[in-house]
Amino acid sequence: MADDKAGREDQARDEENRQRRRDVDAELERGDEPEPELDTADLGEVEPELERLEFPVTGAEIVSTIGDREVASPTERHTVEQLVPDTDRVVFDSPDRVRVQIRRPTVAAAMKRIVETSEALPNEELDGSQYDAYERTFQELERVSPDDEAIAEIRDWVVERVREKGALPASRGVRRQPAKVARREGHQIRNSDWLGI
């Protein structure tokens, strides 16, 4: 890569993607990932298709190749296209990383919408630690308030902020808003208890 601003930005983005892949691999090895909504049996026709892809692969390549394949959650069916961001900015380094993404359909759909909305921002990307913070926030909200409405409310709040302000909300704001929603639903959550706010 060239030693200019664009080259340095590409190198930084590549390093963030590598770090995120290492973090996912470490979580998979530790087994401390929250119990997923879907198990391997629910992946149905997606499972053999994942093994045929050559990794690393972008979200856009996954959507164009197997986007119409379905996975079943306990309550409904989803296509891969509904759960994986249709962008070249998101890179999956293994079939396991894709499985982690699609096993939690509610969180995956929310993250997909936010990632795709953020692509319209000229000088900002949702990647690295900020992506991880958003995703952890949705996972924690799902644990505390399992109905899809709370996650949809926060997803829409983030999308609205992106459109109104032309920037992604800070990770701290994205952690505070779900704490408000959880309290409104009757959960006793202090800001200091919610993901280290």
Side-chain angles (χ1 to χ4, degrees), residues 176 178-191:
R176 282 187 176 164
K180 292 177 187 176
V181 170
R183 283 192 297 267
R184 187 184 69 220
E185 292 184 357
H187 301 284
Q188 300 299 318
I189 296 175
R190 297 183 314 220
N191 274 349

Side-chain angles (χ1 to χ4, degrees), residues 35-177:
E35 187 66 30
E37 284 187 33
L38 306 176
D39 62 25
T40 304
D42 294 326
L43 297 181
E45 58 189 44
V46 172
E47 189 63 33
E49 296 295 331
L50 282 177
E51 296 301 328
R52 290 188 186 112
L53 293 173
E54 286 191 38
F55 287 86
V57 64
T58 66
E61 291 169 321
I62 290 171
V63 169
S64 71
T65 306
I66 62 172
D68 61 339
R69 305 306 193 278
E70 291 187 341
V71 295
S73 75
T75 58
E76 60 186 301
R77 297 184 72 73
H78 306 272
T79 62
V80 171
E81 182 176 23
Q82 293 171 312
L83 306 176
V84 173
D86 190 0
T87 176
D88 290 327
R89 289 183 177 177
V90 176
V91 177
F92 296 90
D93 67 337
S94 70
D96 283 339
R97 180 61 183 104
V98 180
R99 288 182 195 104
V100 167
Q101 174 83 16
I102 65 179
R103 281 183 174 161
R104 301 179 70 94
T106 305
V107 172
M111 289 302 297
K112 170 189 169 60
R113 175 97 181 271
I114 291 169
V115 167
E116 290 176 356
T117 300
S118 73
E119 283 200 306
L121 300 174
N123 300 316
E124 206 170 351
E125 275 185 49
L126 178 61
D127 57 10
S129 61
Q130 189 175 27
Y131 181 97
D132 294 340
Y134 277 42
E135 189 172 51
R136 280 193 311 272
T137 299
F138 281 117
Q139 290 169 353
E140 184 65 14
L141 183 58
E142 181 181 51
R143 185 187 67 75
V144 172
S145 180
D147 69 44
D148 293 351
E149 292 176 19
I151 290 177
E153 181 178 340
I154 299 306
R155 176 203 64 212
D156 293 344
W157 178 84
V158 172
V159 167
E160 183 179 317
R161 293 298 175 279
V162 168
R163 290 182 177 151
E164 285 178 356
K165 300 184 185 279
L168 287 160
S171 300
R172 187 175 187 92
V174 172
R175 291 190 306 266
R176 282 187 176 164
Q177 194 65 26

